[in-house]
Amino acid sequence: MQRQNSFKYESQRLASWYFTVAVILFGAQLLLGLVAAVQFIYPSFLYDVLDFSVARMIHINALVVWMVYAIIGSVYYLLPEETGIETVGIGIAKILFWVLTIAVAIVVLVFLFIQIGPAKTSTIWFINEGREYLEAPRWADIGIVVVVVGFVVNTFLTAIKGRRTGVITVILADLIALAGLYLAGMFYTDNIAMDQYWWWWVIHLWVEATWEVLVGAFAAYALIKIVGAKRQIVEMWLWIEVAMLFGSGILGLGHHYFWIGTPEYWWEIGALFSSLEPVPLIGMFVHVLYDWGKDKGERMGEGEEDVTSNNTPALVWLVINGFGNFLGAGVWGFFHTLPQVNIYTHGTQFTAAHGHLAFFGAYATILIAMFYMAIQGKNGIKKLRATFASKMAIFLLSFGMLGMTVALTIAGYEQVMIERAQLGGTWSAYFVAQNEVWMAQAMDWRFFMGIVMTIGFIYLVKDLWTIGRNPQNVY
Amino acid sequence: MSKRKVSVWTDNRFWQRSAAWVTGVAAVLLIWLTFDTMGQIRMGNQKDIDAHIDKRVPSPTVINYKIGYKMNAKRGLEVPTIGGSDANGNSLFTVKQKFFGRDNYTQKEADALVNLGKLGEQSKNCMDCHTLLGNGGYYAPDLTKAWLDPAWGKNGPMQAITGTHSRAEAMATFLQHPGRYPMHARRMPNLHITAREAKGLVAFLKQMATIDTNGFPRGFGKIKEANYAETK
Ligand code: HEM
Ligand code: HEM
Ligand SMILES: [Fe+2]
């Protein structure tokens, strides 16, 4: 650990702490995903010890938390470069990092060892809130809000003191919305329809609005850095993306209000606006390819010899992001977003197929690209080349996720046809579909693809650990 | 760049303002719709039932009534029915059904039971295995209409297996010791649910089954031949 680092700012060093925890939690996510996947195949595995609900809860919470860590890290990383100054209140920012990390560690331990509690308000406050993705107990919610408010204030003060670029303006406005939305998930009600109504405000308005805008902003920053795209143009695209993402995503929320007790008018609103959601995702993909190609062409035209990007692994992950976002969120999302289809696919393995490819394609990929940017910055590398391990990580993670999605899509299809369409969705209908050979095979394939991804992840960790130190990869 | 005449379409200020406007308008619409929806999904009370008013989320006192899930002629989809139904699938609000031996739970008692059930649902994390209203985990059956599942009825296997004589008692017995009544290799684990908590959970499940979900799940329990095909 005694190597020198070339970070120009303390803010970037703090970013590398956030990234480190993010990678650890990513590993935990995969591990618990594998446990849950095994339980589909051998249901007695860890029965009454670490039940499926616990494995799944940690799987999806580790997912959200590692992504939040990586997002905060990315902002602390690019903030000083965009504004031209050190982050204001960096000392407090570091303390907040430790507060958050200790809180997360406690929550994970409670989830692992205490798991559930009696049917009392105290359980919701101290053990488990029991609402998918928002299981973190209330005390931790409050802690998270305090830390995030601190983070937003740091960002805000830095932005008004330093240079205020379009990228920073977008990020700042978006972070405020993102933090505010979390509050919608922090109350108790005995009305399950009301509960689900506000729950989706957090889940949907995060992943299909505010997080997508962050992706746009990170991609803009990365394109400027990696391929030298022109800020003026990139920021114009960014504003257009914001308009399209929020214009479709905010009312697209309606696609979760078809069947939870909410009025029928959400059928039309949800169908219309969520169908438009893939449009900006196509735009973002085209944008990445266009800027990359155009810039390369321009520099070739100017007679430049070496027209490659200055960070190959980051660029490749960025391109996968463009495509994966479009495929996982846009295409797989559109598959089931019309009420006519969703009445059958709602809450089946089909949803799981979409959830996996969308989270991976839209977020995991770009955040991994940001990890590579930080490696480059940390080691002061002019040009970072992909290693064998970089390529294996890219291939195994992406291929594994695609394979898993295909398996789950087939499982979903079978479940929709047999449990829902044919047998009417009862307890026994559910198990007839679960015990079909197509479902069983799909569950085996999902597990196998999970192993493939885990190997890819090991390559990724190895690469992140070593790529910056090996002069061979650097030129 | 600056010397060339800039078209509005490539002007960043223009797009920035457009983004702000689009976002603002969408947000205002969403908030407006939210107010309307909140009014429609607020939980009802016994007065609505007495006045024969359909609520999207009915009063917890529905636990005193027989409930069903019928094709509604006017809506063109399946709608929960409370206290029996007419030929068009409209609720009659009259036919009662005993819930743990009683059909006279007061508003206060029923509210407390459903609240206990909801707290139990969250504390035991049912939603990371089951879906409720279609949201949650996909490891176990959807519970939206579990109360109405034929398996718990007179002709289903569960009352006999648990040695009980009503849906409510069968469910409560199962929930307290799911490991004792495995129906499939994939069992539900023991979640340390007490008798009191089980009663609350069953009240919660029964009330949830009366929520008007716009016809989801479609055709629930309608295919009689299929229901026990696999338990034979
Ligand atoms: C990056 C963006 C996205 C992510 C990360 C994402 C993720 C998810 C996840 C995890 C769920 C399951 C939630 C649960 O656990 O119940 C879900 C549900 C859903 N998503 Fe997305 N999504 C994205 C974009 C989209 C888009 C663009 C569309 C539509 C065009 C879409 C349509 C849907 C629908 C209709 C459901 C409900 C599925 C059901 O009824 O069970 N999603 N999404
Ligand atoms: C080793 C690889 C992985 C395995 C074996 C795995 C397995 C699983 C399993 C078994 C579930 C529960 C599904 C259910 O309720 O039936 C699940 C849920 C989920 N996983 Fe994974 N997973 C893996 C990797 C990932 C990755 C990399 C991501 C995102 C980047 C992810 C995102 C999710 C999400 C969002 C859900 C909730 C889906 C929903 O509610 O629709 N998983 N995963
Ligand atoms: Fe959504």
Side-chain angles (χ1 to χ4, degrees), chain A residues 29 33 36 40 56 59-60 132-133 356 359 404 446 450, chain B residues 138:
Chain A
Q29 184 208 348
F40 260 98
R56 185 185 199 271
H59 178 61
I60 58 179
E132 209 194 350
Y133 303 101
H356 276 91
F359 258 111
M404 184 180 291
R446 185 253 300 271
Chain B
Y138 317 122

Side-chain angles (χ1 to χ4, degrees), chain A residues 200 204 207-208 252-253 255-256 277:
Chain A
W200 279 115
H204 171 103
V207 300
E208 286 168 63
L253 177 57
H255 66 181
H256 303 295
E277 284 181 44

